[in-house]
Amino acid sequence: VSSSYPPRLALALMRWMGPRDEALIGDLLEAYRGGRSDWWYWRQVLAAIVIGAVTTVRSHKVLSVRAIALGWCFVWLYVNYVAPAVLVAARTMFNFSDFLFVAGLTDWFYVHRIHFPATVVQYGPAIVVAWVGMFASGWLVGYFHRAQGASMVLVYCATLPLPAASVVLWPIVAHGSYAGPPLLLLAAFLFPHVYFPALVGGLWAVRPRNQAAPIAPE
Amino acid sequence: MPRRAFLSDFELVVLLAVLRVGEDAYGVPVAQEIEEKTGRIVAVAAVYAALQRLESRGLVSSVLGDPTASRGGRAKRFFRVTGKGTKEAREAQRAFIAMWQGIPQLKGAAQ
């Protein structure tokens, strides 16, 4: 049985990522209170987000290209110039192995035969640097396209998997086989460390600033 | 011959739904009308996107109503088909009827 309040997360997503159309938000609320299910409301919200982004891109083609170019240019500069310098500086200023030793954690990991510290020491700083860079790229795209809401962020994020997809698909098209890293491993690395931070950064830049309009009791 | 922008399948369905609902045509009843008559589940946002395109072409016009409590204090946007929109619907009807005629496989199927 539907309550008079739609799922809060769906409502928040609608306000954050959906079209900024109060009549549409009101229509969905009215239909929900008229007996539609939570599932129906969720589906409508997800459809509204996708349709809103597509409609915005269609009506702002140049801005869409600018948003994608801005994000990718930043990523290119960051990967080639900022990230290497930051990683070198981080290694010089902070020795993670020493930190673990001083904190008394090295013995603990050794006793429990966990090789986690080696992985953390090797990839930890790189993952943090990747996270910061991708967050910043999404934030930049969102900040300079706030008038279009989350649409430009979504469009930019939709282009992020393209290089990885081409790396996977090209050998299949050219040679009929793929011999790179396992796809699951690739996805497990790229989604949390590359795509997700860019989306979070972009959505942070376009977060609704004003107080959410209250939902009056029925 | 000047290039004419035809209505898409969905735009035509939305235009006809607005005509069918009449005075009280806003997102919810228009979407319901489409679902009832076509059996297709539609996203209300898709109806709005189509109505926006129709409005930009001058085929429908819209006005904001008063906010109501059942909608969380949000106003309804009422749509009305313009004269140009009615003419466009009539032309589409004429074109479809002309295309339908003379197809033996579809004879008697339009009930």
mmCIF file of all heavy atoms in Angstrom, chain A residues 4-26:
data_model
loop_
_atom_site.group_PDB
_atom_site.id
_atom_site.type_symbol
_atom_site.label_atom_id
_atom_site.label_comp_id
_atom_site.label_asym_id
_atom_site.label_seq_id
_atom_site.Cartn_x
_atom_site.Cartn_y
_atom_site.Cartn_z
ATOM 1 N N SER A 4 1.447 8.351 1.805
ATOM 2 C CA SER A 4 1.231 9.596 1.061
ATOM 3 C C SER A 4 2.566 10.239 0.689
ATOM 4 O O SER A 4 2.596 11.239 0.003
ATOM 5 C CB SER A 4 0.355 10.536 1.868
ATOM 6 O OG SER A 4 1.120 11.265 2.765
ATOM 7 N N TYR A 5 3.668 9.632 1.170
ATOM 8 C CA TYR A 5 4.998 10.142 0.832
ATOM 9 C C TYR A 5 5.687 9.169 -0.123
ATOM 10 O O TYR A 5 5.810 7.998 0.199
ATOM 11 C CB TYR A 5 5.848 10.301 2.084
ATOM 12 C CG TYR A 5 5.350 11.405 2.985
ATOM 13 C CD1 TYR A 5 4.459 11.133 4.004
ATOM 14 C CD2 TYR A 5 5.765 12.718 2.801
ATOM 15 C CE1 TYR A 5 3.985 12.143 4.823
ATOM 16 C CE2 TYR A 5 5.293 13.732 3.618
ATOM 17 C CZ TYR A 5 4.407 13.438 4.623
ATOM 18 O OH TYR A 5 3.933 14.431 5.431
ATOM 19 N N PRO A 6 6.140 9.641 -1.239
ATOM 20 C CA PRO A 6 6.864 8.747 -2.141
ATOM 21 C C PRO A 6 8.225 8.398 -1.544
ATOM 22 O O PRO A 6 8.654 9.056 -0.587
ATOM 23 C CB PRO A 6 7.035 9.593 -3.413
ATOM 24 C CG PRO A 6 6.885 10.994 -2.979
ATOM 25 C CD PRO A 6 6.030 10.999 -1.764
ATOM 26 N N PRO A 7 8.904 7.370 -2.067
ATOM 27 C CA PRO A 7 10.224 7.017 -1.538
ATOM 28 C C PRO A 7 11.130 8.252 -1.510
ATOM 29 O O PRO A 7 11.300 8.922 -2.530
ATOM 30 C CB PRO A 7 10.739 5.972 -2.537
ATOM 31 C CG PRO A 7 9.515 5.432 -3.174
ATOM 32 C CD PRO A 7 8.501 6.510 -3.181
ATOM 33 N N ARG A 8 11.700 8.515 -0.331
ATOM 34 C CA ARG A 8 12.454 9.764 -0.163
ATOM 35 C C ARG A 8 13.682 9.825 -1.067
ATOM 36 O O ARG A 8 14.022 10.883 -1.582
ATOM 37 C CB ARG A 8 12.870 9.922 1.296
ATOM 38 C CG ARG A 8 11.700 10.337 2.156
ATOM 39 C CD ARG A 8 12.071 10.528 3.602
ATOM 40 N NE ARG A 8 10.863 10.582 4.413
ATOM 41 C CZ ARG A 8 10.073 11.647 4.524
ATOM 42 N NH1 ARG A 8 10.357 12.747 3.872
ATOM 43 N NH2 ARG A 8 8.988 11.608 5.272
ATOM 44 N N LEU A 9 14.346 8.670 -1.215
ATOM 45 C CA LEU A 9 15.558 8.671 -2.041
ATOM 46 C C LEU A 9 15.199 8.994 -3.490
ATOM 47 O O LEU A 9 15.903 9.762 -4.162
ATOM 48 C CB LEU A 9 16.267 7.309 -1.950
ATOM 49 C CG LEU A 9 17.545 7.177 -2.762
ATOM 50 C CD1 LEU A 9 18.585 8.201 -2.322
ATOM 51 C CD2 LEU A 9 18.109 5.768 -2.658
ATOM 52 N N ALA A 10 14.092 8.400 -3.959
ATOM 53 C CA ALA A 10 13.662 8.664 -5.343
ATOM 54 C C ALA A 10 13.313 10.141 -5.524
ATOM 55 O O ALA A 10 13.682 10.766 -6.530
ATOM 56 C CB ALA A 10 12.466 7.788 -5.690
ATOM 57 N N LEU A 11 12.636 10.704 -4.520
ATOM 58 C CA LEU A 11 12.257 12.124 -4.589
ATOM 59 C C LEU A 11 13.508 13.009 -4.607
ATOM 60 O O LEU A 11 13.596 13.976 -5.379
ATOM 61 C CB LEU A 11 11.363 12.473 -3.396
ATOM 62 C CG LEU A 11 10.722 13.855 -3.416
ATOM 63 C CD1 LEU A 11 9.730 13.978 -4.559
ATOM 64 C CD2 LEU A 11 10.009 14.134 -2.087
ATOM 65 N N ALA A 12 14.499 12.630 -3.769
ATOM 66 C CA ALA A 12 15.745 13.406 -3.714
ATOM 67 C C ALA A 12 16.486 13.321 -5.048
ATOM 68 O O ALA A 12 16.993 14.326 -5.560
ATOM 69 C CB ALA A 12 16.624 12.894 -2.577
ATOM 70 N N LEU A 13 16.516 12.104 -5.635
ATOM 71 C CA LEU A 13 17.187 11.931 -6.935
ATOM 72 C C LEU A 13 16.499 12.766 -8.010
ATOM 73 O O LEU A 13 17.137 13.358 -8.871
ATOM 74 C CB LEU A 13 17.180 10.455 -7.348
ATOM 75 C CG LEU A 13 18.198 9.553 -6.679
ATOM 76 C CD1 LEU A 13 18.045 8.135 -7.194
ATOM 77 C CD2 LEU A 13 19.614 10.042 -6.922
ATOM 78 N N MET A 14 15.161 12.790 -7.922
ATOM 79 C CA MET A 14 14.387 13.562 -8.902
ATOM 80 C C MET A 14 14.750 15.041 -8.808
ATOM 81 O O MET A 14 14.949 15.720 -9.821
ATOM 82 C CB MET A 14 12.892 13.341 -8.617
ATOM 83 C CG MET A 14 11.967 14.064 -9.557
ATOM 84 S SD MET A 14 12.037 13.342 -11.193
ATOM 85 C CE MET A 14 10.992 14.467 -12.073
ATOM 86 N N ARG A 15 14.840 15.534 -7.588
ATOM 87 C CA ARG A 15 15.151 16.956 -7.396
ATOM 88 C C ARG A 15 16.583 17.263 -7.798
ATOM 89 O O ARG A 15 16.894 18.347 -8.267
ATOM 90 C CB ARG A 15 14.943 17.350 -5.933
ATOM 91 C CG ARG A 15 13.500 17.356 -5.507
ATOM 92 C CD ARG A 15 13.362 17.997 -4.154
ATOM 93 N NE ARG A 15 13.836 19.368 -4.146
ATOM 94 C CZ ARG A 15 13.131 20.403 -4.578
ATOM 95 N NH1 ARG A 15 11.921 20.213 -5.038
ATOM 96 N NH2 ARG A 15 13.628 21.603 -4.551
ATOM 97 N N TRP A 16 17.472 16.276 -7.600
ATOM 98 C CA TRP A 16 18.896 16.490 -7.839
ATOM 99 C C TRP A 16 19.259 16.296 -9.306
ATOM 100 O O TRP A 16 19.970 17.096 -9.901
ATOM 101 C CB TRP A 16 19.699 15.510 -6.972
ATOM 102 C CG TRP A 16 21.100 15.941 -6.687
ATOM 103 C CD1 TRP A 16 21.916 16.680 -7.489
ATOM 104 C CD2 TRP A 16 21.858 15.675 -5.514
ATOM 105 N NE1 TRP A 16 23.131 16.872 -6.898
ATOM 106 C CE2 TRP A 16 23.118 16.261 -5.667
ATOM 107 C CE3 TRP A 16 21.607 14.971 -4.337
ATOM 108 C CZ2 TRP A 16 24.130 16.178 -4.716
ATOM 109 C CZ3 TRP A 16 22.613 14.893 -3.384
ATOM 110 C CH2 TRP A 16 23.849 15.488 -3.567
ATOM 111 N N MET A 17 18.748 15.217 -9.896
ATOM 112 C CA MET A 17 19.205 14.837 -11.234
ATOM 113 C C MET A 17 18.137 14.950 -12.315
ATOM 114 O O MET A 17 18.455 14.895 -13.492
ATOM 115 C CB MET A 17 19.724 13.395 -11.214
ATOM 116 C CG MET A 17 20.891 13.200 -10.276
ATOM 117 S SD MET A 17 21.215 11.465 -9.937
ATOM 118 C CE MET A 17 21.928 10.954 -11.476
ATOM 119 N N GLY A 18 16.884 15.073 -11.913
ATOM 120 C CA GLY A 18 15.807 15.093 -12.899
ATOM 121 C C GLY A 18 15.579 16.474 -13.484
ATOM 122 O O GLY A 18 16.244 17.434 -13.098
ATOM 123 N N PRO A 19 14.636 16.585 -14.434
ATOM 124 C CA PRO A 19 14.323 17.893 -15.008
ATOM 125 C C PRO A 19 13.765 18.818 -13.922
ATOM 126 O O PRO A 19 13.020 18.356 -13.063
ATOM 127 C CB PRO A 19 13.247 17.594 -16.056
ATOM 128 C CG PRO A 19 13.099 16.131 -16.128
ATOM 129 C CD PRO A 19 13.771 15.525 -14.954
ATOM 130 N N ARG A 20 14.179 20.088 -13.977
ATOM 131 C CA ARG A 20 13.694 21.025 -12.945
ATOM 132 C C ARG A 20 12.321 21.542 -13.345
ATOM 133 O O ARG A 20 12.159 22.706 -13.708
ATOM 134 C CB ARG A 20 14.706 22.150 -12.767
ATOM 135 C CG ARG A 20 15.945 21.630 -12.086
ATOM 136 C CD ARG A 20 17.068 22.593 -12.013
ATOM 137 N NE ARG A 20 18.204 21.961 -11.333
ATOM 138 C CZ ARG A 20 19.389 22.496 -11.243
ATOM 139 N NH1 ARG A 20 19.637 23.666 -11.767
ATOM 140 N NH2 ARG A 20 20.363 21.865 -10.621
ATOM 141 N N ASP A 21 11.359 20.643 -13.329
ATOM 142 C CA ASP A 21 10.015 20.968 -13.772
ATOM 143 C C ASP A 21 9.053 20.643 -12.625
ATOM 144 O O ASP A 21 8.763 19.466 -12.359
ATOM 145 C CB ASP A 21 9.686 20.120 -15.014
ATOM 146 C CG ASP A 21 8.375 20.531 -15.645
ATOM 147 O OD1 ASP A 21 7.530 21.111 -14.942
ATOM 148 O OD2 ASP A 21 8.183 20.240 -16.840
ATOM 149 N N GLU A 22 8.614 21.679 -11.930
ATOM 150 C CA GLU A 22 7.769 21.481 -10.756
ATOM 151 C C GLU A 22 6.440 20.806 -11.119
ATOM 152 O O GLU A 22 5.886 20.051 -10.339
ATOM 153 C CB GLU A 22 7.501 22.831 -10.072
ATOM 154 C CG GLU A 22 8.728 23.429 -9.406
ATOM 155 C CD GLU A 22 9.258 22.577 -8.256
ATOM 156 O OE1 GLU A 22 8.470 22.217 -7.374
ATOM 157 O OE2 GLU A 22 10.458 22.254 -8.262
ATOM 158 N N ALA A 23 5.925 21.109 -12.340
ATOM 159 C CA ALA A 23 4.663 20.484 -12.768
ATOM 160 C C ALA A 23 4.830 18.973 -12.887
ATOM 161 O O ALA A 23 3.942 18.205 -12.472
ATOM 162 C CB ALA A 23 4.215 21.074 -14.103
ATOM 163 N N LEU A 24 5.966 18.530 -13.403
ATOM 164 C CA LEU A 24 6.231 17.089 -13.544
ATOM 165 C C LEU A 24 6.373 16.447 -12.171
ATOM 166 O O LEU A 24 5.793 15.376 -11.909
ATOM 167 C CB LEU A 24 7.498 16.875 -14.380
ATOM 168 C CG LEU A 24 8.029 15.447 -14.456
ATOM 169 C CD1 LEU A 24 7.019 14.517 -15.084
ATOM 170 C CD2 LEU A 24 9.340 15.401 -15.247
ATOM 171 N N ILE A 25 7.114 17.098 -11.266
ATOM 172 C CA ILE A 25 7.277 16.552 -9.907
ATOM 173 C C ILE A 25 5.902 16.449 -9.231
ATOM 174 O O ILE A 25 5.585 15.449 -8.583
ATOM 175 C CB ILE A 25 8.233 17.445 -9.079
ATOM 176 C CG1 ILE A 25 9.632 17.445 -9.717
ATOM 177 C CG2 ILE A 25 8.330 16.954 -7.637
ATOM 178 C CD1 ILE A 25 10.609 18.441 -9.099
ATOM 179 N N GLY A 26 5.080 17.483 -9.428
ATOM 180 C CA GLY A 26 3.726 17.472 -8.858
ATOM 181 C C GLY A 26 2.873 16.376 -9.460
ATOM 182 O O GLY A 26 2.111 15.704 -8.751
#
